[in-house]
Amino acid sequence: MSTRVFDTLPDEAAGPVVRTENGDVRGRQEGSVGVWRGIPYAATAGGPNRFRPPQPAKPWEGVRDCYEFGDVAPQSAGFVPVDSGLQVGEDCLWLNVWAPVGSSDEPRPVMVWIHGGAFCLGTAAQAVYDGRRLAETGNVILVSVNYRLGALGFLDLSSLGGEFTPNLGLHDQIAALEWVRDNIAGFGGDPDNVTLFGESSGAGCVTALMTAPRSAGLFHRAIAQSPPATTVFGPERGAVVAKRFLEILELPEDRAAEILTMPIERISTAAGILLDEVPAREPGRLAAAPVVDGDLLPGYPSESFQHGRSHRVPLLIGTNKDEASLFRVFRSPIMPVTTDAVNTMLREVAGQHPGMSPERIAEIASAYENVSNLRGALNLSTDAAFRMPSHWVANAHSEHSPTWMYRFDHATPMLKAARVGAGHATEIPYIFGTFGSFDHDPTFWLGGRKIAQEISGRMMRRWAAFAWYGVPAAIDGSKHWPHYHAADRKTLLIDAADRVVEDPDHDRNSVWGDQVVGFF
């Protein structure tokens, strides 16, 4: 039987209205899609809720207009493009919904997006994440989540006292998934068919949540685009960074509780110093990241995957061919992109892994042409941060659940000329169909738009098919995408023409091996 997507309420003529557990929300119809922006899924994270797990949102009377984005989570200025018209604040626990208008024979699958930004930057309000085209093309419900970042979301201050809860960014994401479970049916979505997907640190959150007991049953498929899956720290590391954070704030440990009430601008400034300082001193390492807390994350996700303790859900995972290039262009300290920084990273990793002898380090470096030149350094950095963690996750997860691996190889003529290639995050506008969402976007200055749009269409249809059926098969006759297994490592290379290749980076995969290597 056909069901209507939205309840008919008296003032719906002003925009589609949906009843949620906290109250009615009114959106806007944009083309064939209803859009609700800034729906609170939890109470403000400011005031007494700072450094606390997300608290229930307060109910409201009447109809709440959800036309505008909420506050951007407090953060330092970075190279993630954010609309200057947006407001920064601690009332930042909100989400957006895009839902096709009209009746449907069955509830639509739900895709929940976790944005990236090195765990310290970005927002669900970025134009590149506009969900309208993906919702239209895939006939899916698209939800994007805003959550706490940096010092407020991923800096582990629990060593300073019981007032501080670690992994607040992950707690926020779980609260958003619980909101989806409880409310998405009103938008025409199926709460029993939720795909959690994200990119970069957002994908790292996806792989972490795939091993978190509390998230079990809240999503039923997962997509991880360029996940830094081994960037999860232990409590000892968290305590070291917390101590340094106090030093920057010029606070003794016995006054750490003052962080709970000090102006947010002071926290953001200190966090900005810390977040730049750590990767500059220790290339390859971040200051803020998920941490093994014995509660939300009982163990390192990479180890949980290898011991078969990831949730039994289909997984689509992959990386971009030239991940590190974008960090070189923006001169970002977040990722090591010089030969000196890469060599320092290797020495730091060796210091943490007893099996990583100088000879072993030299063996790994030998697979990269010449680490002393820029290309070799960039390739090694790409593999250490993103590509090998993705393979280690896929190798383990494929032992018990359907898994697919991709490598995004496409670059427009302009991106090739700029030596960005298929850099980090360049696949995002293909997934969302949001080309031209940046001011002065140079992507197509030398042409290539038609091919890019064709690739975008294929990728949107594959991602949506995965959400509908658990299989990333475009229905337009595109290349068949076989399962990934460690034995053959079949990978879909996404370019002007898709092709499936067995173990496309065989030499580099072999030299790294199956032992998980990362910062802990």
Side-chain angles (χ1 to χ4, degrees):
M1 184 177 70
S2 177
T3 58
R4 196 183 188 288
V5 175
F6 313 125
D7 289 337
T8 301
L9 296 177
D11 51 1
E12 189 175 13
V17 176
V18 171
R19 181 157 289 143
T20 73
E21 289 193 334
N22 290 316
D24 297 338
V25 292
R26 180 190 290 112
R28 283 201 171 107
Q29 184 167 335
E30 299 180 3
S32 62
V33 172
V35 184
W36 294 258
R37 296 180 173 90
I39 303 175
Y41 63 84
T44 177
N49 292 334
R50 183 185 288 175
F51 296 112
R52 291 180 66 194
Q55 302 300 303
K58 293 182 179 179
W60 56 83
E61 298 292 332
V63 180
R64 183 185 183 116
D65 291 335
C66 292
Y67 300 154
E68 307 293 337
F69 298 115
D71 287 354
V72 173
Q75 57 193 272
S76 57
F79 70 89
V80 172
V82 174
D83 188 330
S84 59
L86 296 172
Q87 176 178 313
V88 175
E90 292 183 84
D91 193 5
C92 58
L93 304 185
W94 49 267
L95 50 77
N96 309 308
V97 178
W98 288 265
V101 174
S103 60
S104 175
D105 291 336
E106 57 184 318
R108 294 179 171 95
V110 184
M111 300 184 72
V112 178
W113 174 254
I114 308 296
H115 72 79
F119 303 106
C120 64
L121 299 168
T123 170
Q126 287 168 245
V128 73
Y129 305 141
D130 187 285
R132 175 180 166 183
R133 293 171 186 82
L134 181 54
E136 286 177 332
T137 301
N139 193 28
V140 298
I141 310 296
L142 197 289
V143 178
S144 62
V145 178
N146 211 67
Y147 56 95
R148 281 174 281 188
L149 302 166
L152 301 177
F154 290 98
L155 198 62
D156 178 15
L157 303 178
S158 60
S159 61
L160 305 179
E163 305 95 336
F164 302 100
T165 302
N167 290 321
L168 286 173
L170 295 179
H171 280 279
D172 294 345
Q173 292 161 17
I174 289 175
L177 287 167
E178 291 172 338
W179 184 96
V180 168
R181 177 196 62 198
D182 298 337
N183 295 283
I184 206 63
F187 298 83
D190 184 353
D192 295 320
N193 184 4
V194 175
T195 297
L196 183 65
F197 73 133
E199 184 269 343
S200 193
S201 61
C205 293
V206 170
T207 53
L209 290 175
M210 288 179 70
T211 69
R214 270 196 55 201
S215 69
L218 292 176
F219 60 94
H220 314 92
R221 322 192 198 289
I223 302 174
Q225 300 169 205
S226 304
T230 56
T231 303
V232 177
F233 301 136
E236 298 82 7
R237 170 67 186 171
V240 170
V241 176
K243 182 178 180 181
R244 177 58 186 149
F245 188 52
L246 285 185
E247 291 173 354
I248 295 172
L249 287 169
E250 299 181 341
L251 280 179
E253 284 198 41
D254 60 0
R255 291 172 51 198
E258 292 181 22
I259 304 174
L260 297 170
T261 55
M262 70 172 47
I264 191 61
E265 294 78 13
R266 186 178 172 192
I267 292 176
S268 295
T269 299
I273 294 170
L274 181 69
L275 296 169
D276 285 343
E277 177 184 282
V278 169
R281 289 184 176 181
E282 305 171 79
R285 195 190 293 262
L286 300 177
V291 62
V292 175
D293 58 7
D295 177 25
L296 189 65
L297 292 183
Y300 291 103
S302 56
E303 293 181 356
S304 295
F305 274 103
Q306 294 214 317
H307 290 101
R309 294 196 293 267
S310 54
H311 300 325
R312 266 56 174 170
V313 299
L315 171 65
L316 192 162
I317 188 169
T319 58
N320 294 359
K321 186 178 182 181
D322 307 301
E323 296 277 6
S325 64
L326 199 70
F327 298 90
R328 175 189 62 82
V329 169
F330 284 99
R331 299 180 180 177
S332 168
I334 291 173
M335 190 171 180
V337 293
T338 67
T339 55
D340 288 345
V342 169
N343 283 319
T344 300
M345 175 186 70
L346 287 175
R347 290 193 296 270
E348 291 283 338
V349 169
Q352 292 193 326
H353 297 270
M356 295 289 283
S357 63
E359 292 78 17
R360 181 83 178 91
I361 292 294
E363 181 185 8
I364 290 174
S366 70
Y368 293 86
E369 305 147 4
N370 185 354
V371 178
S372 63
N373 69 38
L374 181 61
R375 178 171 292 277
L378 291 175
N379 286 339
L380 198 155
S381 189
T382 288
D383 286 1
F386 300 111
R387 198 179 62 78
M388 287 312 303
S390 295
H391 277 281
W392 290 322
V393 165
N395 289 347
H397 195 71
S398 64
E399 290 293 315
H400 58 71
S401 297
T403 302
W404 291 265
M405 172 72 75
Y406 74 87
R407 193 182 76 191
F408 182 77
D409 286 8
H410 184 69
T412 65
M414 184 64 196
L415 292 182
K416 289 178 181 177
R419 293 191 298 167
V420 172
H424 189 65
T426 57
E427 90 286 2
I428 293 175
Y430 291 77
I431 298 298
F432 285 90
T434 48
F435 297 119
S437 56
F438 304 114
D439 291 336
H440 312 297
D441 185 354
T443 303
F444 300 113
W445 284 358
L446 297 179
R449 182 180 293 273
K450 181 179 179 181
I451 293 175
Q453 288 176 331
E454 291 173 355
I455 296 169
S456 174
R458 287 203 306 273
M459 293 184 75
M460 283 193 283
R461 287 190 292 272
R462 287 191 188 278
W463 265 233
F466 183 73
W468 271 98
Y469 310 112
V471 178
I475 59 175
D476 58 359
S478 298
K479 184 71 180 180
H480 173 61
W481 190 348
H483 289 94
Y484 175 95
H485 297 287
D488 55 29
R489 289 176 167 158
K490 287 182 179 177
T491 302
L492 182 74
L493 305 188
I494 300 174
D495 207 333
D498 294 348
R499 58 195 179 102
V500 175
V501 175
E502 286 194 8
D503 204 358
D505 299 294
H506 172 75
D507 292 343
R508 286 147 63 179
N509 289 334
S510 298
V511 75
W512 281 95
D514 296 328
Q515 178 186 1
V516 175
V517 177
F519 289 106
F520 303 116

